[in-house]
Amino acid sequence: MTAYDAPHGSPQVIDRRDGPYGEVVLRRHGELLQIIANGCFLMDTSDGRSERLLVDAALGALDGRPAPKVLIGGLGVGFSLAHAAADPRWGRITVAERERAIIDWHRAGPLAELSARALADPRTEIIEVDLVAHVNETSDTYDVLCLDIDNGPEWTVTEGNESLYSRAGLAACARVLRKDGVLAVWSAKPSPDFARTLRNAGFRHVRTEEIPVARGVPDVVHLAVRPG
């Protein structure tokens, strides 16, 4: 979820849906596809470096276990999914996406050009579910949890997501991680407060990796290892 240097001309609305969390819009702006939620720009197809870092850094922080199972929170424009599916080292790849519209745009819409190969991969599973509810309710466990559902811990898409970055929310994340599993959280800017919350919640080896952007502060991936 990152900003970009906008192309010239006005964006064209391809689809607009009213969902359980408000309005979701898919636009085309020049060669870019953009996702807008409740009037807030979320992401586009301009880059994807930080989404790929999210996946690679999480895998690199693991202990070398074979065929790790990853849960990706947020389908978005598909960069994280496509990158994970392109790496044979991953085992099961599960993506939790709460917006039916975004899933439809990938399965039979303009975003299919980015994700069709990944969706055809037998390791891939898309589940239509709110990630916050999923980590609190599922009996499944994962080696890696990659979170990219907001613009960061301090800039959430909806108010309900704020709880995920609290100590209670992080405890729910830890609950679905296997022993020495890795939590990776995308953010549009560094968050020292969130790093402290991770440590206070018992997560180990807390660190950040940065991706420079053209203007302003870098995108960041917060990394931490499951408590215990």
Side-chain angles (χ1 to χ4, degrees), residues 6-20:
H8 297 295
S10 299
Q12 172 193 2
V13 173
I14 299 174
D15 193 13
R16 177 184 282 111
R17 307 272 189 97
D18 288 322

Side-chain angles (χ1 to χ4, degrees), residues 110-185:
L111 291 172
E113 61 189 69
L114 292 172
S115 57
R117 180 175 296 181
L119 290 176
D121 191 307
R123 297 172 297 165
T124 296
E125 174 189 26
I126 306 296
I127 54 175
E128 184 180 352
V129 67
D130 187 318
L131 190 281
V132 178
H134 187 64
V135 297
N136 279 284
E137 299 169 4
T138 185
S139 60
D140 291 335
T141 57
Y142 308 88
D143 299 290
V144 168
L145 173 54
C146 291
L147 297 184
D148 189 9
I149 62 172
D150 295 299
N151 280 312
E154 299 169 2
W155 185 5
T156 58
V157 175
T158 55
E159 290 184 5
N161 288 355
E162 293 175 357
S163 64
L164 189 63
Y165 308 101
S166 67
R167 288 189 65 173
L170 292 175
C173 292
R175 189 185 71 83
V176 302
L177 284 172
R178 295 171 178 168
K179 186 178 185 301
D180 295 327
V182 172
L183 174 66
V185 181

